[in-house]
Amino acid sequence: MRAKTKMIHGGITGDEQTGAVSVPIYQVSTYKQESAGNHGGYEYSRTGNPTRHALETVIADLENGEAGFAFGSGMAAITSVMMLLHADDHVIMTDDVYGGSYRLMTSVLNRFKLDHNYVDTSYPEKVEASIQENTKAIFIETPTNPLLKVTDLSKIAQIAKEHELLLIVDNTFATPYWQQPLDHGADIVLHSATKYIGGHSDVVSGLVAVNSAKLAEDLHFIQNSVGAVLGPQDSWLLMRGIKTLALRMEAIEANTKKIVEFLQNHDLVSNIYYPGLTSHPGHDIAVNQATGFGGMLSFDVGSAERADKVLGNVEYFTLAESLGAVESLISVPAKMTHASIPRERRQELGITDGLIRLSVGIEDADDLIEDLQKALD
Ligand SMILES: *Cc1c(COP(=O)(O)O)cnc(C)c1O
């Protein structure tokens, strides 16, 4: 089954009992047992719920995984995946990882002695050089947020295999429509499904797919023990979102290409970060491992004051955190999504005060360009 067809026919479709074409919302916490311990596959909805299960089956299909898991947020998914590790283990992480992942590792999981360090994973040799005796996992985000740095998944997977490390990939930006990390050798792929997979700014959720029966068993144990599960209504909303994921991604990317062209010709814009540009250092790798470049881009207008002016003068770009929705969003990472990262470290990473991030939506590209033109002028 090809990607577009999978979005429609992957996982569990409809309802066998009634013929309903859409999976019903099983708004239920517990299930009747025929005799003690003898049940029809469901006993309690933290452990398993039919609507959530249908969603978990779709994400496993979309990512070519062995099993899927749905959580109450992207961070709940990442936390639960990290729970596969132990105290005194060490994780190598992409250096401009999502701010929430940075905070989780630096201010929460450090208290449980889960050790980590940050590496520019777009250089595989730097990853290899930072492997310690207690390193157990590599956590990659590609492309990254907000600088769209690209990591070569196959190269990192090779390093992970040689050293018997778990390779975990945050695939939020690329989506399973453009990129399937498990096919490149990752063990675990995860998403903030709040973003493109949901796609309509109406649900907070996280999805995971794993590549082996052992990881499936281990992660289900964690999911059931920790309990950060997604509810049935939100599971249903995500399945509805997935039906149009392919269409949305195609429309978003077409708009993004036009906006990038416009920005390239504007005097006020210095750096443009977009993997679709041949000048982008990760362009060739992106072409190799993904079928599209997505709808996220960042550009520099030189100062916080200018960035503020642009943000204050756009009409169709909504000033908001988050990304990946049908409506276009605009943000200043230094003040918003990446504010939890100390300024000094932001500067090191290149997240300047004048950096503007766009999440392009599916409006008419000409309206979006006119809007940016006005705001920049
Ligand atoms: C938003 C985001 C997360 C966190 O997901 P939530 O659903 O907000 O908890 C993790 N990784 C990336 C790349 C994100 O953009």
Side-chain angles (χ1 to χ4, degrees):
M1 216 190 290
R2 293 175 179 81
K4 272 185 183 161
T5 311
K6 264 192 203 172
M7 309 279 159
I8 310 299
H9 295 284
I12 295 166
T13 51
D15 178 40
E16 268 185 15
Q17 281 198 3
T18 61
V21 173
S22 152
V23 174
I25 300 172
Y26 283 90
Q27 192 70 50
V28 58
S29 62
T30 193
Y31 307 79
K32 182 181 168 196
Q33 307 197 1
E34 288 311 318
S35 57
N38 175 16
H39 55 76
Y42 295 98
E43 49 192 323
Y44 187 64
S45 278
R46 168 160 39 71
T47 317
N49 170 283
T51 314
R52 192 178 90 222
H53 179 64
L55 168 66
E56 293 176 329
T57 311
V58 186
I59 190 64
D61 278 0
L62 297 185
E63 291 285 11
N64 299 322
E66 173 77 23
F69 299 90
F71 296 91
S73 69
M75 288 321 303
I78 294 170
T79 305
S80 299
V81 164
M82 290 295 178
M83 292 287 137
L84 292 168
L85 302 167
H86 297 86
D88 298 321
D89 286 353
H90 172 254
V91 189
I92 296 169
M93 302 193 67
T94 299
D95 60 358
D96 58 347
V97 79
Y98 176 70
S101 305
Y102 175 88
R103 180 173 53 200
L104 173 72
M105 298 307 289
T106 314
S107 307
V108 182
L109 294 183
N110 62 321
R111 294 194 246 133
F112 298 85
K113 296 199 166 153
L114 186 61
D115 193 12
H116 67 281
N117 74 322
Y118 299 103
V119 178
D120 185 344
T121 53
S122 54
Y123 297 92
E125 63 276 16
K126 289 190 184 175
V127 174
E128 186 138 41
S130 69
I131 295 174
Q132 306 175 5
E133 218 166 274
N134 60 341
T135 303
K136 292 287 158 58
I138 305 174
F139 185 100
I140 302 283
E141 203 176 300
T142 183
T144 61
N145 181 17
L147 296 176
L148 287 304
K149 282 198 296 198
V150 176
T151 292
D152 189 323
L153 291 171
S154 302
K155 283 208 174 128
I156 302 293
Q158 207 179 327
I159 295 170
K161 284 230 161 63
E162 274 164 23
H163 297 266
E164 294 180 21
L165 310 177
L166 205 57
L167 177 57
I168 306 162
V169 178
D170 183 333
N171 201 27
T172 301
F173 270 37
T175 81
Y177 180 60
W178 296 131
Q179 179 170 280
Q180 293 99 31
L182 300 184
D183 290 353
H184 298 282
D187 300 294
I188 300 178
V189 57
L190 57 88
H191 294 272
S192 167
T194 311
K195 316 295 167 56
Y196 288 109
I197 293 181
H200 296 74
S201 306
D202 53 13
V203 55
V204 173
S205 55
L207 293 175
V208 181
V210 300
N211 73 348
S212 73
K214 173 78 173 84
L215 277 174
E217 189 189 334
D218 291 352
L219 191 58
H220 184 256
F221 179 78
I222 299 285
Q223 185 190 39
N224 189 39
S225 303
V226 176
V229 294
L230 191 66
Q233 303 241 7
D234 286 347
S235 296
W236 186 89
L237 275 172
L238 282 194
M239 284 191 280
R240 182 177 165 115
I242 286 169
K243 300 284 184 208
T244 57
L245 180 63
L247 294 179
R248 285 185 283 112
M249 293 316 288
E250 296 282 356
I252 283 170
E253 195 185 53
N255 277 355
T256 307
K257 269 190 191 145
K258 291 183 188 163
I259 289 172
V260 167
E261 268 166 38
F262 160 76
L263 291 172
Q264 278 180 306
N265 294 313
H266 202 287
D267 292 344
L268 214 68
V269 175
S270 48
N271 289 318
I272 302 173
Y273 302 92
Y274 184 62
L277 289 169
T278 50
S279 58
H280 187 285
H283 177 75
D284 291 342
I285 300 165
V287 169
N288 267 330
Q289 68 189 19
T291 49
F293 304 113
M296 296 301 300
L297 72 137
S298 295
F299 58 98
D300 210 312
V301 292
S303 70
E305 294 72 41
R306 282 189 191 163
D308 274 346
K309 273 205 179 132
V310 173
L311 263 56
N313 286 294
V314 282
E315 193 180 338
Y316 299 128
F317 285 87
T318 304
L319 173 58
E321 296 209 3
S322 197
L323 59 104
V326 287
E327 59 275 347
S328 293
L329 303 177
I330 191 166
S331 68
V332 173
K335 280 193 188 160
M336 298 168 69
T337 46
H338 289 63
S340 56
I341 298 177
R343 181 161 197 272
E344 208 171 90
R345 185 161 163 70
R346 282 201 308 264
Q347 297 292 338
E348 261 170 43
L349 296 170
I351 305 171
T352 57
D353 295 343
L355 190 76
I356 292 178
R357 189 187 80 176
L358 300 183
S359 167
V360 177
I362 61 170
E363 300 93 337
D364 192 306
D366 292 339
D367 282 330
L368 296 176
I369 289 169
E370 276 170 30
D371 202 23
L372 287 172
Q373 174 97 55
K374 258 195 321 199
L376 282 163
D377 289 351

PDB file of all heavy atoms in Angstrom, residues 309-322:
ATOM      1  N   LYS A 309       8.050  43.945  14.808  1.00  0.00           N
ATOM      2  CA  LYS A 309       7.268  44.698  13.829  1.00  0.00           C
ATOM      3  C   LYS A 309       6.576  43.772  12.844  1.00  0.00           C
ATOM      4  O   LYS A 309       5.414  43.954  12.502  1.00  0.00           O
ATOM      5  CB  LYS A 309       8.176  45.671  13.071  1.00  0.00           C
ATOM      6  CG  LYS A 309       8.307  46.980  13.798  1.00  0.00           C
ATOM      7  CD  LYS A 309       8.660  48.120  12.852  1.00  0.00           C
ATOM      8  CE  LYS A 309       8.746  49.426  13.641  1.00  0.00           C
ATOM      9  NZ  LYS A 309       9.958  50.175  13.326  1.00  0.00           N
ATOM     10  N   VAL A 310       7.331  42.788  12.365  1.00  0.00           N
ATOM     11  CA  VAL A 310       6.745  41.851  11.405  1.00  0.00           C
ATOM     12  C   VAL A 310       5.573  41.118  12.055  1.00  0.00           C
ATOM     13  O   VAL A 310       4.476  41.040  11.496  1.00  0.00           O
ATOM     14  CB  VAL A 310       7.803  40.832  10.895  1.00  0.00           C
ATOM     15  CG1 VAL A 310       7.153  39.770  10.031  1.00  0.00           C
ATOM     16  CG2 VAL A 310       8.905  41.560  10.122  1.00  0.00           C
ATOM     17  N   LEU A 311       5.812  40.627  13.265  1.00  0.00           N
ATOM     18  CA  LEU A 311       4.763  39.879  13.966  1.00  0.00           C
ATOM     19  C   LEU A 311       3.522  40.742  14.205  1.00  0.00           C
ATOM     20  O   LEU A 311       2.402  40.238  14.140  1.00  0.00           O
ATOM     21  CB  LEU A 311       5.289  39.371  15.318  1.00  0.00           C
ATOM     22  CG  LEU A 311       5.781  37.937  15.343  1.00  0.00           C
ATOM     23  CD1 LEU A 311       6.848  37.681  14.311  1.00  0.00           C
ATOM     24  CD2 LEU A 311       6.301  37.575  16.723  1.00  0.00           C
ATOM     25  N   GLY A 312       3.764  42.036  14.470  1.00  0.00           N
ATOM     26  CA  GLY A 312       2.645  42.931  14.765  1.00  0.00           C
ATOM     27  C   GLY A 312       1.854  43.315  13.532  1.00  0.00           C
ATOM     28  O   GLY A 312       0.744  43.845  13.645  1.00  0.00           O
ATOM     29  N   ASN A 313       2.411  43.071  12.349  1.00  0.00           N
ATOM     30  CA  ASN A 313       1.755  43.557  11.131  1.00  0.00           C
ATOM     31  C   ASN A 313       1.236  42.475  10.197  1.00  0.00           C
ATOM     32  O   ASN A 313       0.732  42.788   9.128  1.00  0.00           O
ATOM     33  CB  ASN A 313       2.707  44.489  10.378  1.00  0.00           C
ATOM     34  CG  ASN A 313       2.830  45.836  11.087  1.00  0.00           C
ATOM     35  OD1 ASN A 313       1.864  46.583  11.165  1.00  0.00           O
ATOM     36  ND2 ASN A 313       3.989  46.103  11.636  1.00  0.00           N
ATOM     37  N   VAL A 314       1.363  41.235  10.578  1.00  0.00           N
ATOM     38  CA  VAL A 314       0.790  40.186   9.720  1.00  0.00           C
ATOM     39  C   VAL A 314      -0.681  39.979  10.077  1.00  0.00           C
ATOM     40  O   VAL A 314      -1.099  40.206  11.205  1.00  0.00           O
ATOM     41  CB  VAL A 314       1.541  38.829   9.824  1.00  0.00           C
ATOM     42  CG1 VAL A 314       2.830  38.855   9.036  1.00  0.00           C
ATOM     43  CG2 VAL A 314       1.785  38.451  11.278  1.00  0.00           C
ATOM     44  N   GLU A 315      -1.426  39.554   9.077  1.00  0.00           N
ATOM     45  CA  GLU A 315      -2.865  39.413   9.272  1.00  0.00           C
ATOM     46  C   GLU A 315      -3.286  37.946   9.218  1.00  0.00           C
ATOM     47  O   GLU A 315      -4.053  37.477  10.031  1.00  0.00           O
ATOM     48  CB  GLU A 315      -3.550  40.197   8.144  1.00  0.00           C
ATOM     49  CG  GLU A 315      -5.018  40.426   8.340  1.00  0.00           C
ATOM     50  CD  GLU A 315      -5.612  41.212   7.175  1.00  0.00           C
ATOM     51  OE1 GLU A 315      -4.844  41.912   6.456  1.00  0.00           O
ATOM     52  OE2 GLU A 315      -6.819  41.089   6.946  1.00  0.00           O
ATOM     53  N   TYR A 316      -2.737  37.222   8.241  1.00  0.00           N
ATOM     54  CA  TYR A 316      -3.158  35.831   8.067  1.00  0.00           C
ATOM     55  C   TYR A 316      -2.288  34.859   8.858  1.00  0.00           C
ATOM     56  O   TYR A 316      -2.692  33.726   9.101  1.00  0.00           O
ATOM     57  CB  TYR A 316      -3.128  35.440   6.586  1.00  0.00           C
ATOM     58  CG  TYR A 316      -4.050  36.269   5.736  1.00  0.00           C
ATOM     59  CD1 TYR A 316      -3.589  36.912   4.582  1.00  0.00           C
ATOM     60  CD2 TYR A 316      -5.388  36.424   6.085  1.00  0.00           C
ATOM     61  CE1 TYR A 316      -4.435  37.674   3.808  1.00  0.00           C
ATOM     62  CE2 TYR A 316      -6.243  37.200   5.322  1.00  0.00           C
ATOM     63  CZ  TYR A 316      -5.760  37.824   4.177  1.00  0.00           C
ATOM     64  OH  TYR A 316      -6.584  38.573   3.417  1.00  0.00           O
ATOM     65  N   PHE A 317      -1.081  35.278   9.213  1.00  0.00           N
ATOM     66  CA  PHE A 317      -0.236  34.425  10.048  1.00  0.00           C
ATOM     67  C   PHE A 317      -0.615  34.677  11.501  1.00  0.00           C
ATOM     68  O   PHE A 317      -0.509  35.805  11.978  1.00  0.00           O
ATOM     69  CB  PHE A 317       1.250  34.753   9.845  1.00  0.00           C
ATOM     70  CG  PHE A 317       1.809  34.246   8.552  1.00  0.00           C
ATOM     71  CD1 PHE A 317       1.722  35.018   7.397  1.00  0.00           C
ATOM     72  CD2 PHE A 317       2.421  32.996   8.492  1.00  0.00           C
ATOM     73  CE1 PHE A 317       2.247  34.552   6.202  1.00  0.00           C
ATOM     74  CE2 PHE A 317       2.941  32.521   7.298  1.00  0.00           C
ATOM     75  CZ  PHE A 317       2.849  33.290   6.143  1.00  0.00           C
ATOM     76  N   THR A 318      -1.056  33.650  12.182  1.00  0.00           N
ATOM     77  CA  THR A 318      -1.441  33.805  13.574  1.00  0.00           C
ATOM     78  C   THR A 318      -0.194  33.714  14.450  1.00  0.00           C
ATOM     79  O   THR A 318       0.607  32.797  14.296  1.00  0.00           O
ATOM     80  CB  THR A 318      -2.434  32.696  13.983  1.00  0.00           C
ATOM     81  OG1 THR A 318      -3.543  32.756  13.085  1.00  0.00           O
ATOM     82  CG2 THR A 318      -2.920  32.873  15.409  1.00  0.00           C
ATOM     83  N   LEU A 319      -0.053  34.685  15.345  1.00  0.00           N
ATOM     84  CA  LEU A 319       1.074  34.673  16.284  1.00  0.00           C
ATOM     85  C   LEU A 319       0.764  33.640  17.361  1.00  0.00           C
ATOM     86  O   LEU A 319      -0.105  33.843  18.209  1.00  0.00           O
ATOM     87  CB  LEU A 319       1.246  36.071  16.897  1.00  0.00           C
ATOM     88  CG  LEU A 319       2.279  36.203  18.019  1.00  0.00           C
ATOM     89  CD1 LEU A 319       3.660  35.768  17.563  1.00  0.00           C
ATOM     90  CD2 LEU A 319       2.317  37.620  18.548  1.00  0.00           C
ATOM     91  N   ALA A 320       1.434  32.517  17.297  1.00  0.00           N
ATOM     92  CA  ALA A 320       1.138  31.438  18.244  1.00  0.00           C
ATOM     93  C   ALA A 320       2.278  30.452  18.293  1.00  0.00           C
ATOM     94  O   ALA A 320       3.031  30.289  17.331  1.00  0.00           O
ATOM     95  CB  ALA A 320      -0.147  30.708  17.827  1.00  0.00           C
ATOM     96  N   GLU A 321       2.392  29.776  19.431  1.00  0.00           N
ATOM     97  CA  GLU A 321       3.279  28.628  19.512  1.00  0.00           C
ATOM     98  C   GLU A 321       2.613  27.510  18.716  1.00  0.00           C
ATOM     99  O   GLU A 321       1.517  27.667  18.215  1.00  0.00           O
ATOM    100  CB  GLU A 321       3.461  28.210  20.981  1.00  0.00           C
ATOM    101  CG  GLU A 321       4.146  29.298  21.793  1.00  0.00           C
ATOM    102  CD  GLU A 321       4.958  28.747  22.952  1.00  0.00           C
ATOM    103  OE1 GLU A 321       5.044  27.524  23.094  1.00  0.00           O
ATOM    104  OE2 GLU A 321       5.499  29.568  23.711  1.00  0.00           O
ATOM    105  N   SER A 322       3.299  26.399  18.647  1.00  0.00           N
ATOM    106  CA  SER A 322       2.815  25.239  17.896  1.00  0.00           C
ATOM    107  C   SER A 322       3.070  25.408  16.408  1.00  0.00           C
ATOM    108  O   SER A 322       3.633  26.422  15.962  1.00  0.00           O
ATOM    109  CB  SER A 322       1.342  24.956  18.145  1.00  0.00           C
ATOM    110  OG  SER A 322       1.047  23.633  17.709  1.00  0.00           O
TER     111      SER A 322
END
